Amino acid sequence: MQYKSKIRRDGEIPYIVKYRNIKYPRLEFRTGELVLVLPHNGHNPEEIIKKHRKWIEGKLKFISDHIGRSSKLKLKQRSVEELRSAVSEFVEEHAEMLCVNVNRIYIRKMKSKWASCSVRKNITINSLMRYLPDSLIRYIVYHEMAHIIERKHTRRFWRAIEREYKNYSEYEKDLFFYWFRLNRLPR
Ligand SMILES: [Zn+2]
C-alpha cells in the first residue's frame, strides 16, 4: 500500500476511478487514497473533483495528520497466546476492583472494534490487540468489564471508567491512532 494522497505541487489531486452500478457519483477514502466511484453513465471525474475540492482537501489533511502520528507508533510483538495471558491477568485484576466476573475470553479478528462484551459476560478481544502496549490492553479490558455493569456509554458508564482512568479520553485517543496504524498502514 502506498500513501501518496497529498495534493501534488501543481495543485492536482491524485485519485483513482472505479465504475459501479450506482446512481450517483461517490467519493471514498477507504485506504487513505481518493477513490472516485462513478456510475456507468458518463460523468466527468475532473468536474467532480473541482466541485468537491474543499471537502477533499479537508479529508486529505485529516488523513495525512493521522498517518504522520500513527506511523510513529511502536508496535509490540506478542503472540496470540501472550495476548491471552496478558488479558487474563488484567481480567483478574479488574474483577476485584469492579466486582464483576467474566465468563469466557475469546480472541479473534474483528473488523470494526477492539473488543466487545456480551450479556453473558463473555469478552471478545480483537487479535490486533497483540500489537498494543500493556497500558492500552489494560484499559480496553477495564472498559469492556465496565460494560458488564452498564451496557451503554452512559454517564454512569464513564463514571465507572473514571474511577480507574480519570484521563480515559487520552486512552481513547491513543486507541484511535493505533487503530489507524494497524488497519490503515502496513505493519
Ligand atoms: Zn464501550
Side-chain angles (χ1 to χ4, degrees), residues 115 143-144 147 151-153 157-158 172:
H143 180 120
E144 293 311 322
H147 275 310
R151 301 287 311 155
K152 298 207 165 123
H153 292 143
F157 173 82
W158 292 114
E172 293 287 341

Side-chain angles (χ1 to χ4, degrees), residues 3 9 18 23 67 69 78 83-84 88 93 95 100 104 117 119 125 129 148 160 183 187:
Y3 293 87
R9 217 177 288 175
K18 282 184 183 168
K23 260 198 178 150
I67 289 173
R69 186 164 162 186
R78 280 190 196 80
L83 171 62
R84 182 181 292 280
S88 311
E93 185 192 346
V100 295
R104 300 198 61 174
C117 181
V119 272
I125 294 288
M129 272 173 61
I148 297 174
N183 291 283
R187 284 197 284 283

Side-chain angles (χ1 to χ4, degrees), residues 3 20 26 28-35 63 183-184:
Y3 293 87
R20 248 182 255 156
R26 240 185 260 161
E28 291 178 357
F29 275 103
R30 292 250 171 94
T31 53
E33 192 169 33
L34 176 57
V35 181
I63 289 166
N183 291 283
R184 293 280 178 269

Side-chain angles (χ1 to χ4, degrees), residues 4-184:
K4 47 187 176 189
S5 303
K6 285 204 181 111
I7 300 164
R8 291 206 304 251
R9 217 177 288 175
D10 58 9
E12 296 258 330
I13 297 173
Y15 61 88
I16 44 179
V17 180
K18 282 184 183 168
Y19 291 93
R20 248 182 255 156
N21 257 337
I22 47 172
K23 260 198 178 150
Y24 305 104
R26 240 185 260 161
L27 296 164
E28 291 178 357
F29 275 103
R30 292 250 171 94
T31 53
E33 192 169 33
L34 176 57
V35 181
L36 221 55
V37 189
L38 299 180
H40 295 286
N41 56 349
H43 277 83
N44 182 350
E46 286 301 327
E47 249 165 52
I48 296 166
I49 300 277
K50 220 163 138 190
K51 193 170 154 201
H52 297 282
R53 190 166 180 108
K54 269 258 136 59
W55 181 84
I56 294 168
E57 285 176 356
K59 278 274 191 195
L60 288 173
K61 167 122 186 26
F62 179 85
I63 289 166
S64 69
D65 287 352
H66 284 74
I67 289 173
R69 186 164 162 186
S70 299
S71 62
K72 287 186 199 105
L73 293 171
K74 288 254 152 49
L75 300 182
K76 274 264 193 181
Q77 300 297 330
R78 280 190 196 80
S79 66
V80 172
E81 276 321 299
E82 284 166 331
L83 171 62
R84 182 181 292 280
S85 76
V87 168
S88 311
E89 264 180 51
F90 292 135
V91 165
E92 238 174 80
E93 185 192 346
H94 298 325
E96 257 181 66
M97 206 167 352
L98 288 163
C99 296
V100 295
N101 282 310
V102 169
N103 197 13
R104 300 198 61 174
I105 300 165
Y106 298 103
I107 297 183
R108 62 177 176 83
K109 274 200 181 137
M110 297 169 92
K111 275 198 174 146
S112 60
K113 45 186 152 187
W114 288 114
S116 68
C117 181
S118 75
V119 272
R120 294 186 173 170
K121 303 181 186 180
N122 296 325
I123 287 182
T124 305
I125 294 288
N126 188 332
S127 51
L128 283 180
M129 272 173 61
R130 68 199 184 90
Y131 295 106
L132 298 180
D134 284 358
S135 58
L136 287 180
I137 296 178
R138 187 179 187 275
Y139 170 75
I140 293 171
V141 171
Y142 188 91
H143 180 120
E144 293 311 322
M145 288 175 76
H147 275 310
I148 297 174
I149 302 171
E150 174 71 44
R151 301 287 311 155
K152 298 207 165 123
H153 292 143
T154 57
R155 190 60 216 130
R156 179 168 172 245
F157 173 82
W158 292 114
R159 263 202 304 274
I161 298 294
E162 274 173 341
R163 271 194 277 152
E164 181 65 14
Y165 290 97
K166 272 225 152 2
N167 53 344
Y168 67 83
S169 57
E170 284 303 309
Y171 285 79
E172 293 287 341
K173 213 190 290 165
D174 285 349
L175 284 172
F176 179 81
F177 285 105
Y178 268 103
W179 186 266
F180 205 88
R181 174 77 175 82
L182 289 164
N183 291 283
R184 293 280 178 269

